Amino acid sequence: MLLTAPDCLSSSMLSSVSQSLRKSTAFSKGLVSRTRTSRLCRASLITSPDSFEVGRLIGSYGFMNITSYSGVEDLGRLRAQDVGEGSVKIRLYEGRIAQGLLKGTSVVFKVYPGKRAGGVEADMMAANELNAHAFLQSSSKGLCQNLVSLVGGFETKTGEQWLAFRNDGKYSAADYAKLTSEKLSKGSVGESSWNRFEQEQTIRRRRFFVAKLFQGAMIGLAYMHDHDRLHQSLGPSSVVLNTIAERDAAYLIPRLRDLAFSVDIRFPNVEEGLGTLSEGLWRRAAAAGAFTPMEKRAFGIADDIYEAGMLFAYLAFVTFSETNIMDSLSLQRLLESTFRLDLQATREYCLADDCLLGAVKFLDLSDGAGWELLQAMLNPDFRKRPIAEAVINHRFMTGAIL
């Protein structure tokens, strides 16, 4: 049941999100030009709470903070203390636009807690996500279909920031991988009676679906990089899918979301190293020997590519394995700590485990093109990692399946 926006909501416009954050001097320096962003919000985003109807709570989550690999000297140092859940808890609600030209449009509300509950960090993340979307959606090149679309939002009297995104799918890549893995586990029970032709068709469809999912995510990332924006939070949960039916793969449109940690890498900002949320990135850049603005920018792009490589590995190993065989953290430890990013050694290990053969066969396509791409994206030397466009045009993406 949909309800009108609760009466605890103020009538302030979304621009008040930015205005309320001006109290944080350190963060105000890290935002995209406020004047331009406010103009964009007023001109193209719905900013009145009366324009929305809020529905049921559909989920909540926190952000995981994981120390990223940044050099050979750091390999093997991923420990329990390096992994933790951030203090900011996000709530998700379904809803719709109640008036105007977009009346009836389904939306998903992403709710950041007020400063009292989430601290300054929550305000920083909300403002950063707002500014990132406003900037990307103002591009003269038009909107990218592989990024979620911000349609508006509002602020409550308690300081909560409600960002409204067009509802283009309720499942994430993580949901798809989990459901597919569970389906594979159930199917293995009666595998002997499973029609071999049907089995081959299912595997073929799954490979195509996974490849197209990853391709769409990389197109979205390439668009961001082309517009001087890093994602910095790329993972299976940050890719939204309009379908998880493998038979409908031709209509699949993956979209990147969760831009709360997005970083502006235009040269004035890179040179000054602005933004509290990007401090960790620039520390890793310095540890990897990237000091000049050009080197820091290149490191930031390569850092996103590394995260995308981990996403690719996740899709390969989780989607083509049974339930509880592999998860994101155990996969990261396997690749980084156990095999020190040596993908050939990883392949040999996986060949000896029947539970991982599905992933091996997927990456083996086109004479090992998948392993080749994965090794390039996870190269210990950030200078040798490919850019997003090169990943999209790799032979695994253009010839092996798609």
Side-chain angles (χ1 to χ4, degrees):
M1 177 179 177
L2 289 170
L3 306 172
T4 57
D7 56 13
C8 66
L9 303 179
S10 70
S11 60
S12 60
M13 291 192 169
L14 190 58
S15 57
S16 66
V17 176
S18 293
Q19 293 170 358
S20 67
L21 295 174
R22 289 175 184 170
K23 299 174 183 177
S24 174
T25 304
F27 183 57
S28 65
K29 296 178 181 178
L31 291 176
V32 177
S33 170
R34 292 184 184 280
T35 303
R36 183 184 181 193
T37 300
S38 296
R39 283 202 303 268
L40 285 168
C41 290
R42 287 197 296 269
S44 59
L45 300 181
I46 302 171
T47 57
S48 169
D50 295 332
S51 298
F52 296 101
E53 293 179 337
V54 180
R56 65 185 180 89
L57 176 71
I58 56 176
S60 62
Y61 62 93
F63 287 90
M64 296 300 293
N65 299 322
I66 303 174
T67 301
S68 297
Y69 167 74
S70 60
V72 175
E73 71 278 7
D74 288 336
L75 281 176
R77 293 186 183 178
L78 185 66
R79 299 290 185 265
Q81 64 266 29
D82 295 323
V83 181
E85 190 170 14
S87 60
V88 178
K89 299 297 188 295
I90 305 297
R91 307 194 312 278
L92 300 176
Y93 292 84
E94 64 180 13
R96 68 187 178 196
I97 298 174
Q99 55 187 253
L101 295 176
L102 297 178
K103 181 178 180 179
T105 300
S106 178
V107 299
V108 172
F109 292 106
K110 184 175 185 178
V111 184
Y112 284 92
K115 189 177 296 185
R116 181 179 301 176
V120 177
E121 185 183 11
D123 276 354
M124 293 165 61
M125 291 166 62
N128 197 44
E129 183 152 20
L130 163 63
N131 278 274
H133 279 285
F135 177 79
L136 291 168
Q137 291 176 198
S138 69
S139 172
S140 60
K141 297 182 179 180
L143 298 178
C144 175
Q145 73 167 356
N146 295 109
L147 296 177
V148 296
S149 296
L150 179 71
V151 297
F154 49 86
E155 180 183 11
T156 70
K157 291 180 179 179
T158 59
E160 289 186 336
Q161 319 293 351
W162 288 58
L163 301 183
F165 297 91
R166 186 185 295 273
N167 187 357
D168 290 311
K170 64 179 181 178
Y171 293 106
S172 68
D175 296 325
Y176 163 72
K178 180 176 181 293
L179 292 172
T180 302
S181 181
E182 291 174 351
K183 189 185 304 181
L184 188 62
S185 297
K186 294 176 181 178
S188 64
V189 176
E191 189 172 353
S192 59
S193 60
W194 196 8
N195 181 285
R196 182 172 295 275
F197 175 76
E198 183 180 345
Q199 182 180 12
E200 291 176 352
Q201 286 293 99
T202 299
I203 293 174
R204 188 176 293 111
R205 281 195 298 267
R206 184 159 300 154
R207 288 173 175 175
F208 180 79
F209 191 96
V210 169
K212 190 169 183 185
L213 190 168
F214 184 62
Q215 180 193 55
M218 291 308 302
I219 291 174
L221 189 63
Y223 182 90
M224 291 187 67
H225 289 176
D226 187 49
H227 289 75
D228 295 316
R229 287 279 171 164
L230 303 180
H231 190 287
Q232 285 297 290
S233 187
L234 186 58
S237 295
S238 58
V239 183
V240 178
L241 311 178
N242 63 326
T243 180
I244 57 171
E246 292 170 344
R247 292 180 181 273
D248 296 334
Y251 308 103
L252 172 66
I253 303 177
R255 292 178 172 89
L256 300 186
R257 66 177 179 184
D258 296 335
L259 304 189
F261 293 98
S262 176
V263 177
D264 184 348
I265 53 170
R266 289 174 293 180
F267 280 113
N269 297 317
V270 173
E271 188 172 7
E272 297 172 16
L274 300 177
T276 302
L277 295 176
S278 60
E279 285 179 354
L281 170 66
W282 303 134
R283 281 198 300 268
R284 296 197 304 275
F291 299 105
T292 69
M294 185 74 75
E295 290 171 339
K296 290 166 68 175
R297 183 180 188 278
F299 178 86
I301 291 173
D303 202 51
D304 265 2
I305 294 298
Y306 186 89
E307 288 187 342
M310 283 296 180
L311 170 63
F312 183 36
Y314 177 92
L315 293 173
F317 281 92
V318 177
T319 306
F320 293 98
S321 301
E322 295 182 21
T323 305
N324 298 324
I325 299 298
M326 192 70 71
D327 59 42
S328 58
L329 291 181
S330 59
L331 176 60
Q332 185 173 7
R333 292 190 177 99
L334 178 72
L335 296 174
E336 292 183 344
S337 301
T338 304
F339 293 106
R340 300 175 64 84
L341 299 180
D342 183 342
L343 273 299
Q344 181 58 42
T346 303
R347 181 182 181 278
E348 293 176 2
Y349 168 83
C350 294
L351 275 174
D353 188 340
D354 290 345
C355 295
L356 300 175
L357 286 181
V360 173
K361 292 178 180 178
F362 174 67
L363 296 171
D364 273 351
L365 294 172
S366 290
D367 194 25
W371 294 103
E372 176 186 275
L373 176 58
L374 189 58
Q375 181 69 81
M377 299 180 74
L378 300 182
N379 196 307
D381 185 349
F382 77 89
R383 300 171 183 84
K384 297 180 180 179
R385 293 174 201 155
I387 62 173
E389 286 289 351
V391 173
I392 296 169
N393 294 318
H394 189 272
R395 64 191 184 96
F396 181 81
M397 305 296 291
T398 59
I401 303 174
L402 299 177

